[in-house]
Amino acid sequence: MSVKVVCVGGGPAGLYLSILLKRQDPATEVTVYERNPEGSTYGWGVTYWRGLLDKLGEHDPESARAVAEHSVRWSDGVARVRDGVRDLTTRHRGDEGFGIGRHRLLEILAGRARELGVRLEFAQEATPGALPADADLIVAGDGLHSALRTRDADHFGTEVRAGRNHYTWLGTTKVFDAFTFSFVQTEHGWVWCYAYGYGAEGSTCVVECAPETWAGLGLDRADEADGLALLEKLFADLLEGHPLIGRADADGRPQWLTFRTLTNRRWYRDNVVLVGDAAHTTHYSIGAGTTLAMEDAMALARALREHPDLPAALAAYEQRRKSELLPIQSAARFSAQWYEHLPRYMGLPPHRMFALLGQRHSPLLPHVPPQLYYGIDKAVGRLDALRRLKRWLGPKVARAAMS
């Protein structure tokens, strides 16, 4: 399809879609509007896995090579547990993972888009009423708070469910060589972080805790400086003298959030289609947000290539992506619940706790005592019959839990 396309939002989904559309048909006119100035982005690093890198190589080898070149890699997972009595660390070999600075990823995608002839408009607030009237396709990639989606929220069937725990995204100058989990017990409950490197300049640290712990430690009242000082003290062994770096609101309050899971019954209306966080969100603990956004772009570009009729293309895109997301959304939901019930697992020996951390996506785990599940999982790894039973029973439990 040779069309005039407007992408609202200069994140990974919008930028990568613009690249793919220009590769499919250089005559396509594509404009990306981003409300923030170029080079200003919130966040430190993003994670992805080998599967995404392979897909990027299939769709646009040039940008894939640049992304790989500027990424760091790890294959180990580290879990640290400190509860006042134990201070233990366990390290496990896992799948190959990648980290890249969010600013670097967007820089690569923006540069490639320009090279292909995409028009990029930064520091432009593309409100619904200000978009070009002659656009054939308008892509809403403007995030969780999408103005385009909110305008027609009833049509899209938007639902948002807030999680229980509080979390905050932080940076640090320490460079981690493995995906690292650190769990610290305080007099008010457990606090933990996920830490991963994204380049020579530093790492991302996501800190999370239950609401009663958040309030008990005074994090609900602390300003940014005091909050960071407390967290640096709690994770001093992990940070080894490196600071935590925050991003406070304009009033100096730290950005503690509760994760919001967003879903939509419909993903398009007329010539407006949703991608990325405007269409769906998945809990950050599975590290899939950037991957899913770019896979949305791949699927939408494919649908537009295979279906000359725009309504048919958008319908095919919606059907495919909603189907592909079902198991991922289920895994994310159970992963979030694992952390919301963290004390259930923290009495285990660290190597067993870490094993169940790796199994947190399982729909069976919440219904089986942790020690028993660990034993069953070890046995399943040895017996084909039990492995088949687990694969058969898991989806049934997941469907029952969703009903």
Side-chain angles (χ1 to χ4, degrees):
M1 296 179 65
S2 295
V3 295
K4 181 174 182 177
V5 179
V6 170
C7 297
V8 180
L15 288 173
Y16 199 61
L17 177 64
S18 74
I19 292 169
L20 298 183
L21 293 181
K22 291 296 283 188
R23 278 178 55 85
Q24 288 178 184
D25 183 356
T28 301
E29 181 181 340
V30 187
T31 304
V32 177
Y33 292 93
E34 168 55 46
R35 64 174 174 266
N36 294 315
E38 186 168 9
S40 66
T41 179
Y42 171 54
W44 287 268
V46 298
T47 59
Y48 65 95
W49 311 99
R50 168 58 67 178
L52 176 65
L53 192 58
D54 291 342
K55 290 179 181 178
L56 295 178
E58 295 169 4
H59 286 81
D60 182 43
E62 288 81 1
S63 59
R65 282 193 292 269
V67 169
E69 179 184 346
H70 289 89
S71 296
V72 298
R73 307 182 184 200
W74 65 82
S75 57
D76 287 359
V78 174
R80 302 169 60 113
V81 178
R82 184 157 55 87
D83 60 9
V85 177
R86 303 175 300 170
D87 188 356
L88 302 173
T89 300
T90 182
R91 192 178 189 104
H92 285 253
R93 179 71 61 178
D95 296 332
E96 185 179 31
F98 299 81
I100 186 172
R102 180 174 170 82
H103 66 287
R104 181 68 66 204
L105 175 63
L106 296 180
E107 180 181 77
I108 290 169
L109 297 180
R112 178 62 173 151
R114 278 200 179 99
E115 181 182 286
L116 293 170
V118 176
R119 179 184 171 194
L120 302 180
E121 295 287 348
F122 287 95
Q124 293 289 333
E125 188 72 45
T127 59
L131 295 173
D134 60 344
D136 297 292
L137 177 64
I138 298 174
V139 181
D142 47 346
L144 175 68
H145 303 291
S146 169
L148 288 169
R149 188 201 62 238
T150 301
R151 180 185 61 177
D152 294 317
D154 289 341
H155 168 81
F156 289 114
T158 305
E159 294 184 5
V160 180
R161 298 187 303 277
R164 181 174 184 271
N165 288 348
H166 292 274
Y167 74 97
T168 185
W169 289 87
L170 303 172
T172 178
T173 54
K174 177 174 178 177
V175 178
F176 290 91
D177 66 350
F179 200 104
T180 302
F181 303 86
S182 182
F183 302 87
V184 177
Q185 190 174 33
T186 74
E187 61 180 319
H188 301 288
W190 290 92
V191 181
W192 58 96
C193 79
Y194 325 78
Y196 53 89
Y198 61 83
E201 63 269 38
S203 302
T204 298
C205 287
V206 184
V207 179
E208 183 179 344
C209 60
E212 56 270 19
T213 305
W214 182 64
L217 291 172
L219 292 168
D220 60 333
R221 304 179 297 278
D223 61 19
E224 183 184 41
D226 290 342
L228 290 177
L230 174 58
L231 294 176
E232 287 172 353
K233 181 178 179 181
L234 290 173
F235 294 106
D237 292 345
L238 178 72
L239 295 170
E240 298 179 325
H242 289 268
L244 289 172
I245 306 166
R247 178 183 179 272
D249 288 327
D251 62 0
R253 302 290 293 178
Q255 289 197 337
W256 285 92
L257 306 168
T258 56
F259 188 81
R260 285 157 290 179
T261 300
L262 179 142
T263 58
N264 289 281
R265 289 196 303 275
R266 302 179 185 88
W267 285 27
Y268 69 96
R269 180 175 191 178
D270 299 328
N271 68 334
V272 176
V273 63
L274 309 178
V275 297
D277 283 355
H280 52 81
T281 60
T282 55
H283 195 262
Y284 51 83
S285 62
I286 68 169
T290 299
T291 294
L292 296 179
M294 298 184 79
E295 288 179 344
D296 284 353
M298 297 173 195
L300 181 54
R302 175 180 173 178
L304 292 169
R305 182 178 70 248
E306 295 179 347
H307 300 273
D309 178 66
L310 183 61
L314 300 185
Y317 159 71
E318 176 188 296
Q319 181 179 13
R320 176 176 181 176
R321 287 305 287 154
K322 288 175 76 172
S323 175
E324 291 173 341
L325 279 167
L326 281 176
I328 301 168
Q329 290 172 327
S330 174
R333 183 173 62 257
F334 285 109
S335 178
Q337 290 176 3
W338 193 93
Y339 289 105
E340 290 177 352
H341 298 89
L342 184 76
R344 184 174 188 256
Y345 307 101
M346 296 310 295
L348 298 172
H351 71 282
R352 294 193 173 196
M353 184 278 295
F354 190 85
L356 296 191
L357 174 64
Q359 290 287 319
R360 66 188 182 277
H361 316 118
S362 169
L364 294 175
L365 184 54
H367 306 283
V368 178
Q371 288 278 23
L372 177 59
Y373 186 97
Y374 177 81
I376 293 173
D377 190 62
K378 293 288 285 185
V380 166
R382 295 189 294 266
L383 297 175
D384 287 341
L386 282 176
R387 189 182 301 112
R388 289 194 297 270
L389 174 63
K390 184 181 176 184
R391 284 199 300 263
W392 174 81
L393 189 58
K396 295 183 180 297
V397 174
R399 286 193 294 271
M402 294 174 64
S403 62

